[in-house]
mmCIF file of all heavy atoms in Angstrom:
data_model
loop_
_atom_site.group_PDB
_atom_site.id
_atom_site.type_symbol
_atom_site.label_atom_id
_atom_site.label_comp_id
_atom_site.label_asym_id
_atom_site.label_seq_id
_atom_site.Cartn_x
_atom_site.Cartn_y
_atom_site.Cartn_z
ATOM 1 N N ALA A 69 100.450 81.886 35.178
ATOM 2 C CA ALA A 69 101.379 81.796 36.312
ATOM 3 C C ALA A 69 101.471 83.132 37.045
ATOM 4 O O ALA A 69 101.436 83.184 38.284
ATOM 5 C CB ALA A 69 102.754 81.353 35.821
ATOM 6 N N PHE A 70 101.571 84.225 36.284
ATOM 7 C CA PHE A 70 101.593 85.553 36.901
ATOM 8 C C PHE A 70 100.282 85.821 37.640
ATOM 9 O O PHE A 70 100.279 86.322 38.776
ATOM 10 C CB PHE A 70 101.819 86.631 35.841
ATOM 11 C CG PHE A 70 103.256 86.879 35.499
ATOM 12 C CD1 PHE A 70 103.771 86.504 34.264
ATOM 13 C CD2 PHE A 70 104.103 87.495 36.409
ATOM 14 C CE1 PHE A 70 105.102 86.745 33.947
ATOM 15 C CE2 PHE A 70 105.435 87.738 36.103
ATOM 16 C CZ PHE A 70 105.936 87.365 34.863
ATOM 17 N N ALA A 71 99.169 85.518 36.990
ATOM 18 C CA ALA A 71 97.860 85.792 37.593
ATOM 19 C C ALA A 71 97.678 85.031 38.894
ATOM 20 O O ALA A 71 97.178 85.575 39.886
ATOM 21 C CB ALA A 71 96.757 85.437 36.601
ATOM 22 N N LYS A 72 98.088 83.786 38.917
ATOM 23 C CA LYS A 72 97.941 82.987 40.141
ATOM 24 C C LYS A 72 98.829 83.521 41.254
ATOM 25 O O LYS A 72 98.442 83.513 42.426
ATOM 26 C CB LYS A 72 98.272 81.525 39.840
ATOM 27 C CG LYS A 72 97.212 80.827 39.017
ATOM 28 C CD LYS A 72 97.573 79.371 38.816
ATOM 29 C CE LYS A 72 96.477 78.646 38.056
ATOM 30 N NZ LYS A 72 96.797 77.204 37.931
ATOM 31 N N GLU A 73 100.024 83.971 40.890
ATOM 32 C CA GLU A 73 100.912 84.560 41.892
ATOM 33 C C GLU A 73 100.263 85.800 42.515
ATOM 34 O O GLU A 73 100.480 86.099 43.697
ATOM 35 C CB GLU A 73 102.245 84.930 41.246
ATOM 36 C CG GLU A 73 103.260 85.545 42.177
ATOM 37 C CD GLU A 73 103.799 84.587 43.233
ATOM 38 O OE1 GLU A 73 103.615 83.355 43.090
ATOM 39 O OE2 GLU A 73 104.419 85.073 44.206
ATOM 40 N N MET A 74 99.455 86.504 41.713
ATOM 41 C CA MET A 74 98.753 87.688 42.202
ATOM 42 C C MET A 74 97.395 87.344 42.808
ATOM 43 O O MET A 74 96.612 88.223 43.158
ATOM 44 C CB MET A 74 98.584 88.685 41.047
ATOM 45 C CG MET A 74 99.898 89.202 40.502
ATOM 46 S SD MET A 74 99.706 90.141 38.957
ATOM 47 C CE MET A 74 98.709 91.524 39.517
ATOM 48 N N ASP A 75 97.103 86.047 42.887
ATOM 49 C CA ASP A 75 95.885 85.538 43.511
ATOM 50 C C ASP A 75 94.628 85.875 42.717
ATOM 51 O O ASP A 75 93.532 86.000 43.278
ATOM 52 C CB ASP A 75 95.747 86.047 44.953
ATOM 53 C CG ASP A 75 94.945 85.097 45.825
ATOM 54 O OD1 ASP A 75 94.968 83.881 45.536
ATOM 55 O OD2 ASP A 75 94.287 85.557 46.770
ATOM 56 N N LEU A 76 94.769 86.048 41.406
ATOM 57 C CA LEU A 76 93.616 86.268 40.536
ATOM 58 C C LEU A 76 93.038 84.934 40.083
ATOM 59 O O LEU A 76 93.742 83.926 40.018
ATOM 60 C CB LEU A 76 94.023 87.079 39.305
ATOM 61 C CG LEU A 76 94.436 88.523 39.537
ATOM 62 C CD1 LEU A 76 95.065 89.098 38.281
ATOM 63 C CD2 LEU A 76 93.246 89.358 39.969
ATOM 64 N N THR A 77 91.749 84.950 39.759
ATOM 65 C CA THR A 77 91.159 83.759 39.161
ATOM 66 C C THR A 77 91.492 83.725 37.675
ATOM 67 O O THR A 77 91.695 84.762 37.042
ATOM 68 C CB THR A 77 89.629 83.733 39.341
ATOM 69 O OG1 THR A 77 89.072 84.934 38.793
ATOM 70 C CG2 THR A 77 89.254 83.620 40.804
ATOM 71 N N VAL A 78 91.550 82.518 37.132
ATOM 72 C CA VAL A 78 91.964 82.323 35.747
ATOM 73 C C VAL A 78 90.965 81.406 35.060
ATOM 74 O O VAL A 78 90.537 80.398 35.625
ATOM 75 C CB VAL A 78 93.375 81.688 35.692
ATOM 76 C CG1 VAL A 78 93.726 81.270 34.274
ATOM 77 C CG2 VAL A 78 94.416 82.649 36.237
ATOM 78 N N GLN A 79 90.584 81.772 33.848
ATOM 79 C CA GLN A 79 89.728 80.921 33.021
ATOM 80 C C GLN A 79 90.392 80.745 31.668
ATOM 81 O O GLN A 79 90.824 81.725 31.051
ATOM 82 C CB GLN A 79 88.346 81.556 32.852
ATOM 83 C CG GLN A 79 87.393 80.766 31.960
ATOM 84 C CD GLN A 79 86.064 81.467 31.811
ATOM 85 O OE1 GLN A 79 85.453 81.873 32.791
ATOM 86 N NE2 GLN A 79 85.624 81.643 30.584
ATOM 87 N N TYR A 80 90.481 79.506 31.221
ATOM 88 C CA TYR A 80 91.085 79.209 29.917
ATOM 89 C C TYR A 80 89.974 78.979 28.898
ATOM 90 O O TYR A 80 88.944 78.384 29.209
ATOM 91 C CB TYR A 80 91.956 77.953 30.001
ATOM 92 C CG TYR A 80 92.981 77.991 31.103
ATOM 93 C CD1 TYR A 80 92.733 77.363 32.329
ATOM 94 C CD2 TYR A 80 94.193 78.646 30.931
ATOM 95 C CE1 TYR A 80 93.675 77.389 33.344
ATOM 96 C CE2 TYR A 80 95.134 78.678 31.950
ATOM 97 C CZ TYR A 80 94.868 78.040 33.154
ATOM 98 O OH TYR A 80 95.801 78.075 34.167
ATOM 99 N N GLN A 81 90.206 79.437 27.669
ATOM 100 C CA GLN A 81 89.202 79.275 26.619
ATOM 101 C C GLN A 81 89.820 78.713 25.344
ATOM 102 O O GLN A 81 90.920 79.126 24.955
ATOM 103 C CB GLN A 81 88.546 80.623 26.290
ATOM 104 C CG GLN A 81 87.728 81.211 27.411
ATOM 105 C CD GLN A 81 86.980 82.448 26.972
ATOM 106 O OE1 GLN A 81 85.812 82.629 27.292
ATOM 107 N NE2 GLN A 81 87.636 83.334 26.230
ATOM 108 N N ASN A 82 89.106 77.791 24.745
ATOM 109 C CA ASN A 82 89.451 77.320 23.406
ATOM 110 C C ASN A 82 88.631 78.128 22.403
ATOM 111 O O ASN A 82 87.416 78.239 22.539
ATOM 112 C CB ASN A 82 89.146 75.832 23.260
ATOM 113 C CG ASN A 82 89.615 75.275 21.928
ATOM 114 O OD1 ASN A 82 90.804 75.106 21.691
ATOM 115 N ND2 ASN A 82 88.671 75.006 21.048
ATOM 116 N N ILE A 83 89.297 78.728 21.444
ATOM 117 C CA ILE A 83 88.625 79.536 20.428
ATOM 118 C C ILE A 83 88.461 78.698 19.169
ATOM 119 O O ILE A 83 89.434 78.126 18.648
ATOM 120 C CB ILE A 83 89.434 80.808 20.094
ATOM 121 C CG1 ILE A 83 89.806 81.548 21.384
ATOM 122 C CG2 ILE A 83 88.639 81.709 19.159
ATOM 123 C CD1 ILE A 83 88.644 81.953 22.246
ATOM 124 N N VAL A 84 87.225 78.607 18.713
ATOM 125 C CA VAL A 84 86.939 77.805 17.517
ATOM 126 C C VAL A 84 87.309 78.628 16.289
ATOM 127 O O VAL A 84 86.602 79.572 15.917
ATOM 128 C CB VAL A 84 85.456 77.390 17.475
ATOM 129 C CG1 VAL A 84 85.186 76.534 16.240
ATOM 130 C CG2 VAL A 84 85.076 76.650 18.750
#
Side-chain angles (χ1 to χ4, degrees):
F70 275 110
K72 288 183 177 183
E73 180 68 15
M74 297 170 63
D75 207 29
L76 293 169
T77 56
V78 171
Q79 178 181 310
Y80 307 98
Q81 294 187 137
N82 186 72
I83 309 302
V84 181

